[in-house]
Amino acid sequence: MKVLLLFTGGTISMVRDAETGALHPADMQTFKAFVPELFAGDIQVDMIPFEPLLDSSDLNPDNWRQMAHVVQDNYDAYDGFVILHGTDTMAYSASALSFMFDNLCKPVVFTGSQLPVGVLRSDAKENLLTAIEIAAAYDTDGKAIVPEVTLFMDGELYRGNRATKRNAEHFSAFNSYNYPALARAGVHITYNRQLIQPIGNTARPLHVFERFDTRVAILKLFPGITEEVVAAVLNTPNLRGVVLETFGSGNAPSHEWLYQSLRDACYLCHSAEN
Ligand code: ASP
């Protein structure tokens, strides 16, 4: 089995400078020295690093395209892919890639860690080694067990577009509130097979959708939100779409000015299109 490890950066890649004590991204040789197990098993692991390694707060849709192309360009040569990523925006990248791939028949597993790889109590090794095992997990009929984009952290495997970072302190940093875990890793890795996406058509090639429109905004409602705040978001030049973060199951304050601002914004957007 062959797994390609794409290294984008994040806490997992950091090492402490012996003199200053400051953390900085490790070069590949240093990283490999911390995880010799990577190259000791039956799975062949090759690594491709982003140059430079990035904190995940700096990632954007261009980097999602970069990740997707690494998978596409190496698709035939590997059985599975692991993407090492900072935890802060890992769920965004996993979600984006899950929608970018059409007819994905191989595992793409995102993982990272809460402590840098060289720290004694680090969760890096466990997350990385299990993610690799999941990426290389195939049935005897030659089909991948989890042929979709997923996120693995602290023993749980989540669907990429259902995961959310919930905690910056605990090793269990993610949750999937609207869909159960696809697998749990304890002594054995137990797959919830009926929840896993059915495999695509292996005879068809992988297709990557790569057009993103970044002219979008999120408007989070809160008690006491003012007309000026709403106007500032909705009047953003060239805005094409707004995600409203509302209360409960979609409730919002019943101010007439709010509804009118939303109607005006829809009208402006339609007129810009026509
Ligand atoms: N700031 C880091 C990142 O998201 C945090 C982490 O990796 O956990 O890149």
Side-chain angles (χ1 to χ4, degrees), residues 190-253:
T190 315
Y191 294 94
N192 266 324
R193 290 192 177 243
Q194 73 287 1
L195 300 175
I196 295 171
Q197 185 105 327
I199 196 157
N201 179 349
T202 48
R204 263 183 55 215
L206 173 73
H207 178 75
V208 178
F209 294 104
E210 49 184 293
R211 284 179 57 206
F212 285 94
D213 193 333
T214 52
R215 295 170 295 175
V216 292
I218 296 177
L219 175 57
K220 184 179 174 71
L221 300 181
F222 54 90
I225 191 167
T226 62
E227 196 169 349
E228 289 75 20
V229 169
V230 170
V233 175
L234 297 182
N235 294 334
T236 305
N238 300 321
L239 195 66
R240 301 301 296 272
V242 178
V243 177
L244 283 177
E245 257 191 67
T246 56
F247 305 126
S249 53
N251 297 322

Side-chain angles (χ1 to χ4, degrees), residues 28-105:
M28 287 304 96
Q29 282 321 107
T30 312
F31 184 85
K32 285 177 183 173
F34 280 119
V35 199
E37 299 88 340
L38 265 182
F39 308 98
D42 299 337
I43 304 168
Q44 180 187 325
V45 180
D46 296 329
M47 290 168 92
I48 296 188
F50 263 20
E51 306 267 2
L53 294 176
L54 294 170
D55 186 278
S56 76
S57 321
D58 286 324
L59 297 177
N60 60 46
D62 286 338
N63 303 111
W64 298 339
R65 281 187 207 102
Q66 224 179 322
M67 293 176 210
H69 284 153
V70 169
V71 172
Q72 189 178 37
D73 294 347
N74 294 282
Y75 194 67
D76 293 335
Y78 290 89
D79 301 296
F81 301 85
V82 171
I83 302 183
L84 286 190
H85 197 291
T87 59
D88 287 345
T89 68
M90 193 194 296
Y92 289 85
S93 296
S95 188
L97 262 74
S98 77
F99 291 111
M100 290 173 79
F101 290 135
D102 178 37
N103 196 42
L104 181 68
C105 297

